[in-house]
Amino acid sequence: MNVTPSTESSSSATAIQSRFLRACKRLPVDATPVWLMRQAGRYMEEYRALRTQHPILELIKQPDLAAEVTMQPIRAYNLDAAIIFADILPPLEGMGLNLEFIKGEGPVIHNPIRSRADVEALRLPDPTESLWFTLEAIKLVRKQLDPRGIPLIGFSGAPFTLASYAIEGGSSKNYLHTKGLMMSDAPTWHLLMEKLSEVVGNYLLAQAKAGAQALQFFDSWVGALSPADYREYILPHSRHAIDIARQGNVPIIHFGTNTSGMLNLIQEAGGDVIGVDWHIDLDTAWDSLKPETAVQGNLDPVTLLAPWPEIEKRTREILDRVKGRPGHIFNLGHGILPGTPVDNVRHLIDFVHEYTSIQH
Amino acid sequence: MNVTPSTESSSSATAIQSRFLRACKRLPVDATPVWLMRQAGRYMEEYRALRTQHPILELIKQPDLAAEVTMQPIRAYNLDAAIIFADILPPLEGMGLNLEFIKGEGPVIHNPIRSRADVEALRLPDPTESLWFTLEAIKLVRKQLDPRGIPLIGFSGAPFTLASYAIEGGSSKNYLHTKGLMMSDAPTWHLLMEKLSEVVGNYLLAQAKAGAQALQFFDSWVGALSPADYREYILPHSRHAIDIARQGNVPIIHFGTNTSGMLNLIQEAGGDVIGVDWHIDLDTAWDSLKPETAVQGNLDPVTLLAPWPEIEKRTREILDRVKGRPGHIFNLGHGILPGTPVDNVRHLIDFVHEYTSIQH
């Protein structure tokens, strides 16, 4: 199945009015926009029902199913943006890595990268061929979202985070192999990161062309590094990927965790919106960034498992720290955890809107 | 076996001249002092040999064995401080929790705390009875260290880090149970933390009385929290424990990881020296603290598995950022990893001394 890259405008007339896209540009909004990382997923009954019939990679690779999962939280709550249902790892498959999701263990790569030859063998596929299913899902979802005036976010794993999975062969605690390659063989490291940044940049650009109205660059695990290593071994490659994606003319959200000590470097690599996890006060984080920056965050995801008064208290504190500065997108500091009660999610979204509405 | 609390002065005449203790007080030093978290342990052949004969809790609970392990790295390298061989978890045993170290899994607590009744049942034992073995080991080690002029560091897990093990029953990724208790039952949380802070404070004070010339307060996992939660649920209890320990009149090192966004709060809780992991530039961290602060850190432990030129490059960068400010203790940002080559450890310690010596 082939997907012809779309040439349609990346933002529809309705969507440009959306709170989410306005906040990305730091324009005034009638209430703070909210979306939640992993807003579609295991905590929702509708999703679990689908998962009993389809393995996760099937949900991702069948565009109609990916579109359905993307829409589940949109139908359930008053969210201000949808995010395409996909995963950060499929881009590695097209490069030649064998990806499998193993129950109870998570993602596993059966042929991890360990040598120069492994890196040289990596292919740079055209995303319209290797990742056609996500691009097709984006088109399907846009048809359902546009009448609602809700914009769609596309995303990709960032080069470092993809490299860490590709090298470790799965998730990791200390990133021994990843940092080992980085510290012991800089030329091979940079070759790998160059290849990944091309793939990531082109994938993001293809998503914008397919209809994604914003793009999130997920560097989830980059906080494992020191700022000095980030600057030397990651930043140029993240910047290259983001520069390619910028040709899509849609806002880019640059997200990481445990980055409190290097948010300025994350920004230097690029992005219109900087994601902030919960390990730093949002205003402190914001003050460390350039004045024209929008920010996204920063509630601890565990909070959503607490009783409502505790959720409200912590949400209110974040919103009070923002004090009406333009360009805040409310979100968790990382993805929703399995076991999160859906009523808490609904209540949170409504509370953020109510508390920040112009009538407030 | 009973241990009479010692009334001897906490620092000997030789030790007061030590680089390490001078740096804790921000006095001039002839070279930057170095010690390394987990400097005794699995990466050393001598240690692995002992471990084939004794389970880890036996090494900790037999004072002569604990003293021997403490001395192994002191004999092998030019370290500026020893740290008593112990673990952060034994204080929980005296409170009534059943601790076991399971091969391949790490520490497990068989009766984790989940209810108010569990917290109420916790005992507050006298550390000279429940933890006599570590106090006795401190006395034995001091006899071997004093002739060398090398000071001894005692330590304890901090209340939050101990609470997280006590509640989760072992190590954790998301701290769901710990944060769950904290967010859903504040009175029980505070009762637990009050009990832990008493136990921790008294244990640290007992170590100073037994001869420890500095104390490290290990809040290894506190970076899992938001600054707001730290301020409300942790800080008062950490401060209480540190206030008790301060009666020992020895410098206190306050250590955590992933605390880049809340180092000021860590300092507010107390400590003469603030531990800084590798996720923030050391000078940036230092600038966020009060001017009279000493700091400890901040090399990524994975670095020690890299080729020497890479280790030297990163070590040099840290030392250059310090630029001769008084009060820097060189250390890793967390413990030495298993598999670290001993030659790299030796070379690192010598390099720090050489590079920072007054002749430099």
Side-chain angles (χ1 to χ4, degrees):
Chain A
M1 181 165 177
N2 277 315
V3 174
T4 315
S6 160
T7 54
E8 69 185 327
S9 159
S10 56
S11 23
S12 73
T14 46
I16 198 83
Q17 298 303 325
S18 87
R19 286 173 188 150
F20 169 75
L21 289 174
R22 291 181 64 85
C24 289
K25 296 170 198 279
R26 305 184 76 246
L27 296 170
V29 287
D30 63 337
T32 298
V34 192
W35 73 278
L36 303 171
M37 284 180 273
R38 288 194 192 275
Q39 62 193 20
R42 252 201 292 176
Y43 77 103
M44 289 187 81
E45 203 179 320
E46 303 91 307
Y47 175 83
R48 289 196 307 271
L50 268 181
R51 278 286 276 109
T52 59
Q53 299 162 48
H54 309 278
I56 187 160
L57 280 175
E58 205 170 291
L59 288 185
I60 291 168
K61 293 182 180 182
Q62 294 194 16
D64 54 334
L65 291 176
E68 166 59 20
V69 176
T70 303
M71 290 303 294
Q72 286 177 342
I74 301 300
R75 290 192 290 260
Y77 322 114
N78 293 317
L79 285 160
D80 294 297
I83 180 161
I84 193 69
F85 184 75
D87 189 82
I88 62 168
L89 297 180
L92 294 176
E93 287 188 299
M95 299 179 79
L97 297 174
N98 300 325
L99 170 66
E100 187 185 359
F101 283 82
I102 296 177
K103 198 174 156 68
E105 194 177 340
V108 170
I109 286 163
H110 293 292
N111 55 343
I113 291 169
R114 294 291 159 86
S115 70
R116 176 86 188 181
D118 292 340
V119 174
E120 285 173 350
L122 290 174
R123 297 189 295 269
L124 300 184
D126 183 335
T128 62
E129 288 173 11
S130 62
L131 296 154
W132 67 269
F133 40 86
T134 298
L135 304 178
E136 186 62 24
I138 286 172
K139 294 181 184 181
L140 293 177
V141 171
R142 273 295 298 271
K143 287 182 192 143
Q144 297 182 63
L145 286 175
D146 281 5
R148 295 171 179 252
I150 293 175
L152 177 63
I153 304 168
F155 72 92
S156 173
F160 174 79
T161 293
L162 291 180
S164 78
Y165 281 105
I167 297 169
E168 303 292 340
S171 51
S172 176
K173 189 180 167 198
N174 290 317
Y175 302 94
L176 287 183
H177 293 290
T178 309
K179 292 181 180 180
L181 180 67
M182 185 183 91
M183 292 183 185
S184 68
D185 186 353
T188 298
W189 174 264
H190 286 296
L191 179 62
L192 171 61
M193 291 293 279
E194 279 162 22
K195 286 187 158 189
L196 287 168
S197 65
E198 282 290 317
V199 167
V200 167
N202 288 324
Y203 179 38
L204 287 169
L205 178 56
Q207 290 183 68
K209 286 181 174 167
Q213 291 142 300
L215 297 168
Q216 180 149 317
F217 185 77
F218 272 91
D219 216 353
S220 310
W221 308 133
V222 79
L225 297 169
S226 71
D229 283 337
Y230 181 84
R231 196 181 286 111
E232 181 167 349
Y233 296 98
I234 315 304
L235 197 155
H237 306 291
S238 285
R239 180 185 278 149
H240 180 60
I242 291 171
D243 280 348
I244 297 172
R246 278 162 54 89
Q247 297 168 37
N249 284 316
V250 300
I252 294 173
I253 306 165
H254 192 156
F255 169 78
T257 65
N258 288 324
T259 53
S260 303
M262 56 184 197
L263 287 167
N264 58 325
L265 297 176
I266 298 286
Q267 175 160 62
E268 218 178 299
D272 306 282
V273 183
I274 303 299
V276 179
D277 72 8
W278 64 96
H279 302 299
I280 185 169
D281 289 329
L282 192 60
D283 50 341
T284 307
W286 214 336
D287 289 342
S288 76
L289 298 168
K290 292 177 194 155
E292 67 272 24
T293 312
V295 304
Q296 176 177 285
N298 76 335
L299 190 69
D300 181 349
V302 175
T303 312
L304 277 179
L305 285 90
W308 172 253
E310 296 294 316
I311 303 172
E312 179 179 325
K313 172 178 129 180
R314 288 168 177 78
T315 303
R316 196 185 285 266
E317 170 163 339
I318 291 168
L319 296 171
D320 288 346
R321 284 184 179 276
V322 173
K323 271 193 194 151
R325 294 198 221 194
H328 178 220
I329 296 156
F330 190 91
N331 204 321
L332 305 178
H334 208 168
I336 292 185
L337 293 163
T340 296
V342 293
D343 282 347
N344 287 349
V345 175
R346 182 177 300 111
H347 203 162
L348 171 74
I349 295 165
D350 291 343
F351 177 78
V352 172
H353 289 151
E354 192 188 315
Y355 191 71
T356 60
S357 71
I358 45 175
Q359 293 80 16
H360 173 69
Chain B
M1 180 164 176
N2 275 316
V3 174
T4 314
S6 160
T7 53
E8 68 185 328
S9 159
S10 55
S11 23
S12 74
T14 46
I16 199 82
Q17 298 302 324
S18 87
R19 289 173 186 148
F20 169 75
L21 289 174
R22 291 181 65 85
C24 289
K25 296 169 198 279
R26 305 182 76 247
L27 296 171
V29 287
D30 64 336
T32 298
V34 192
W35 73 278
L36 303 171
M37 284 179 274
R38 287 195 192 273
Q39 62 193 20
R42 252 201 292 176
Y43 78 102
M44 290 186 81
E45 204 179 319
E46 303 91 308
Y47 176 84
R48 288 196 305 272
L50 267 181
R51 278 285 276 109
T52 61
Q53 299 162 49
H54 308 278
I56 187 160
L57 280 175
E58 203 170 291
L59 289 185
I60 291 167
K61 292 183 179 181
Q62 292 194 17
D64 55 334
L65 292 176
E68 166 59 19
V69 177
T70 303
M71 290 303 295
Q72 286 176 343
I74 301 300
R75 290 192 290 258
Y77 321 114
N78 292 317
L79 285 160
D80 294 296
I83 181 161
I84 194 68
F85 184 74
D87 188 81
I88 62 167
L89 297 180
L92 294 176
E93 287 188 299
M95 298 180 79
L97 297 173
N98 300 325
L99 170 66
E100 187 185 359
F101 282 82
I102 296 176
K103 197 174 158 69
E105 195 177 341
V108 171
I109 286 163
H110 294 293
N111 54 343
I113 291 169
R114 294 291 159 88
S115 70
R116 176 86 190 182
D118 291 340
V119 174
E120 285 173 349
L122 290 173
R123 298 188 295 269
L124 300 184
D126 183 333
T128 62
E129 288 173 11
S130 61
L131 295 154
W132 67 269
F133 40 85
T134 298
L135 305 178
E136 186 62 24
I138 287 171
K139 294 181 186 181
L140 294 177
V141 172
R142 274 293 300 271
K143 287 183 192 144
Q144 298 182 63
L145 286 175
D146 282 5
R148 295 171 179 251
I150 294 176
L152 177 63
I153 304 167
F155 72 92
S156 173
F160 174 79
T161 293
L162 291 180
S164 77
Y165 281 105
I167 296 170
E168 304 291 340
S171 52
S172 175
K173 189 180 169 200
N174 290 316
Y175 302 94
L176 287 184
H177 292 291
T178 308
K179 292 181 180 180
L181 179 66
M182 185 184 89
M183 292 183 186
S184 67
D185 186 354
T188 298
W189 174 264
H190 285 297
L191 179 62
L192 171 61
M193 290 293 280
E194 279 162 22
K195 286 187 158 188
L196 286 167
S197 65
E198 282 289 317
V199 167
V200 167
N202 287 324
Y203 179 38
L204 287 169
L205 178 56
Q207 290 182 67
K209 286 182 176 169
Q213 292 142 300
L215 298 168
Q216 180 149 317
F217 185 77
F218 272 91
D219 216 353
S220 310
W221 308 133
V222 79
L225 296 169
S226 71
D229 283 337
Y230 181 83
R231 195 181 287 111
E232 181 167 349
Y233 296 97
I234 315 303
L235 197 155
H237 305 292
S238 285
R239 179 185 279 149
H240 181 59
I242 291 172
D243 280 348
I244 296 172
R246 279 163 54 88
Q247 297 168 36
N249 283 316
V250 301
I252 295 173
I253 306 165
H254 192 156
F255 169 78
T257 65
N258 288 323
T259 53
S260 303
M262 55 184 198
L263 287 167
N264 58 325
L265 297 177
I266 298 286
Q267 175 160 62
E268 217 178 300
D272 305 282
V273 183
I274 303 298
V276 178
D277 72 9
W278 64 95
H279 302 298
I280 184 168
D281 288 329
L282 192 61
D283 50 342
T284 307
W286 214 336
D287 289 342
S288 76
L289 299 168
K290 291 178 195 156
E292 68 272 23
T293 312
V295 305
Q296 178 178 283
N298 74 337
L299 189 69
D300 182 348
V302 175
T303 312
L304 277 179
L305 285 91
W308 172 254
E310 296 294 315
I311 303 172
E312 178 178 326
K313 172 178 130 181
R314 288 168 177 78
T315 303
R316 198 185 284 265
E317 170 164 338
I318 290 167
L319 296 171
D320 288 346
R321 283 184 179 276
V322 173
K323 271 193 193 151
R325 293 198 221 194
H328 178 220
I329 296 157
F330 190 91
N331 205 321
L332 306 178
H334 208 168
I336 292 184
L337 293 163
T340 296
V342 293
D343 282 347
N344 286 350
V345 175
R346 181 178 299 110
H347 204 161
L348 171 74
I349 295 164
D350 291 343
F351 176 78
V352 172
H353 289 151
E354 191 187 316
Y355 191 71
T356 59
S357 72
I358 45 176
Q359 292 81 18
H360 173 68

